[in-house]
Amino acid sequence: MARRIIHDHNHDGIDRRGFLECMAWAGTGALCVLSGGVLKSFALTDAVETAKAASGGLSFVQISDSHIGFNKPANPDVAATLRAAIDKINALPVRPAFVLHTGDITQLSKPEEFDTAAQLLRGLKTDQIFYVPGEHDVLDGTGQMFRERFGKRAMGNGWYSFEAKGVHFIGLVNVVNMKAGGLGNLGGEQLEWLEDDLKNVSNETPIVVFAHIPLWAVYPEWGWGTDDSGKALALMKRFGSVTVLNGHIHQTMRKVEGNVTFHTAMSTAFPQPAPGTPGASPGPMAVPADQLRGVLGITDVNFVRGKQALAVTDSTLAASAEATTHSMEMQP
Amino acid sequence: MRTSLFLFVLCAANLMALAAPSAGFATQNSTSGNEKTYTITIKDFEFSPKNLEIPAGSKVVWVNKDDEPHKVLEVNKAFTSQALDSNDSFSFEFRTPGKFEYYCTLHPRMTGKIVVHEK
């Protein structure tokens, strides 16, 4: 089932033919692994592979963009699709150690929306949920309501780090104090904290960064990028493996740049158009009701200790969902 | 009966006195001739019109016609809206001349400008 991809015309470690082939599987459910520059794909129904990959390692899940409170035609029942995502996570062959929610938990930062989300997410079979806010969660201007519920122990506007099984996780906030005409914003205070946070982390430690807006320029014309992400990434150049997990764009996209693998997750609420789609804008996109769950999903991440590989698996909420996996080995 | 009539007249006079300042203010605005309400439509992640020139004393209403919420903020915080869900609106009266640049705090690529002239 595994496929070896050998076309690296740009000498950047990305086989575009293989990458596109793999991307074509995304949403219908394939498993692709980028390991040591070799992209392999598996059917995600091959749950045994996933279970093997996680044994002795670390398994966690990313969900994003639940938009609780949204009720427009693109998805009149976002609570139901979040429940479906929770059910899918609870049915995974390996119980995730924790879940990351990469923001836009709510649609309008209303207390009742936060409460509904919290109540639903209590149904997750996992030890802990880590959150970072999306721009929809900080509509009170400061994000205080978000932090009161989901970021009590966080620093500043909600950033923090933690360790799990030898992996250093960093939750960043790039949705506060965004400047007119600009993109996502980390800000000087957070960057100073990040530099300090990384001081005592060894080069060999795998790093996982999670934030709402992509930390790479997916499509700046639609605001899909972060103005000062380059400063954050510069602080991580010395590390062998950096994985960046984002939401915001409601679709899976991936990019590998040196030691950094960027990955965006599907939403649990509604899809958005592919970047630059003619005549489209970066808002909710209605699809036929029977196709909706095929464009919503979760991201399952497995870290295999010893192999130092981090496999990122996307799977949709559709009943017949398979999945797409990508894995990145550490640079020597 | 006489007492009741007296109280009624007294209450009516008080109500008129209370109403007078606001009624006078509204009348003053509507009779000067320059004041007008302008509408900026938010659609497809754009303010339309993006640039607007108005005389002082005018009111501007932003109306969100997207399925996505937006929130208007002037760069120097001269005005800020609440989060505007679909079909929500926000209005602001520009009493003094000046240049006001604003953007959407959720989607900061969305920007607009209002230039307010003397009456």
Side-chain angles (χ1 to χ4, degrees), chain B residues 11-61:
Chain B
C11 287
N14 281 342
L15 283 171
M16 287 175 70
L18 283 170
S22 57
F25 182 75
T27 303
Q28 194 175 45
N29 268 357
S30 62
T31 55
S32 63
N34 285 329
E35 293 76 13
K36 195 177 164 185
T37 297
Y38 296 82
T39 300
I40 294 176
T41 303
I42 307 173
K43 180 70 180 161
D44 296 332
F45 289 70
E46 287 181 358
F47 296 109
S48 180
K50 182 179 171 72
N51 298 308
L52 182 63
E53 293 194 19
I54 56 173
S58 300
K59 187 167 89 170
V60 174
V61 182

Side-chain angles (χ1 to χ4, degrees), chain A residues 22 38 58 97 104 135 146 163 194 215 219 253 262 312-313 319:
Chain A
C22 194
V38 178
L58 172 68
D104 282 358
E135 72 279 6
F146 166 84
E163 305 282 336
L194 179 62
L215 293 175
Y219 196 64
M253 292 199 76
F262 299 90
V312 179
T313 306

Side-chain angles (χ1 to χ4, degrees), chain A residues 151-192:
Chain A
K152 278 183 180 164
R153 284 175 290 177
M155 315 284 289
N157 287 320
W159 56 80
Y160 55 95
S161 67
F162 64 93
E163 305 282 336
K165 293 234 176 165
V167 180
H168 188 70
F169 289 81
I170 304 167
L172 296 179
V173 179
N174 55 1
V175 296
V176 177
N177 295 325
M178 291 190 282
K179 307 295 182 294
L183 304 172
N185 173 60
L186 293 164
E189 188 187 351
Q190 185 169 205
L191 288 166
E192 280 177 26

Side-chain angles (χ1 to χ4, degrees), chain A residues 68 82 101 103-106 109-122 128-134 137 143-155 157-160 210:
Chain A
I68 294 299
L82 177 56
H101 195 306
D104 282 358
I105 303 159
T106 68
S109 304
K110 291 180 177 174
E112 60 269 29
E113 295 174 348
F114 280 117
D115 292 345
T116 299
Q119 188 181 359
L120 289 169
L121 291 164
R122 272 198 286 274
Q128 199 168 355
I129 309 172
F130 295 95
Y131 300 88
V132 285
D137 302 318
Q144 188 181 343
M145 274 198 294
F146 166 84
R147 289 195 304 280
E148 281 172 0
R149 288 167 172 79
F150 300 123
K152 278 183 180 164
R153 284 175 290 177
M155 315 284 289
N157 287 320
W159 56 80
Y160 55 95
F210 57 106

Side-chain angles (χ1 to χ4, degrees), chain B:
Chain B
M1 184 65 185
R2 183 178 292 176
T3 306
S4 298
L5 182 64
F6 173 74
L7 284 173
F8 171 78
V9 170
L10 189 65
C11 287
N14 281 342
L15 283 171
M16 287 175 70
L18 283 170
S22 57
F25 182 75
T27 303
Q28 194 175 45
N29 268 357
S30 62
T31 55
S32 63
N34 285 329
E35 293 76 13
K36 195 177 164 185
T37 297
Y38 296 82
T39 300
I40 294 176
T41 303
I42 307 173
K43 180 70 180 161
D44 296 332
F45 289 70
E46 287 181 358
F47 296 109
S48 180
K50 182 179 171 72
N51 298 308
L52 182 63
E53 293 194 19
I54 56 173
S58 300
K59 187 167 89 170
V60 174
V61 182
W62 286 261
V63 183
N64 181 16
K65 291 294 185 184
D66 270 343
D67 274 354
E68 173 80 0
H70 298 287
K71 187 175 181 183
V72 177
L73 175 66
E74 202 271 336
V75 293
N76 295 312
K77 298 184 170 57
F79 55 84
T80 181
S81 76
Q82 73 281 18
L84 303 174
D85 202 358
S86 304
N87 296 314
D88 282 354
S89 63
F90 160 71
S91 64
F92 185 78
E93 186 178 327
F94 293 82
R95 293 166 186 264
T96 54
K99 190 170 78 174
F100 299 88
E101 294 181 345
Y102 65 92
Y103 66 109
C104 170
T105 62
L106 281 92
H107 315 100
R109 300 281 291 189
M110 295 170 56
T111 60
K113 186 169 73 177
I114 295 171
V115 177
V116 183
H117 299 299
E118 296 280 0
K119 285 182 185 175

Side-chain angles (χ1 to χ4, degrees), chain A residues 4-19:
Chain A
R4 180 177 290 259
I5 311 294
I6 55 172
H7 309 284
D8 183 11
H9 302 299
N10 288 9
H11 309 290
D12 57 1
I14 304 174
D15 169 358
R16 282 169 175 73
R17 186 188 300 175
F19 182 77

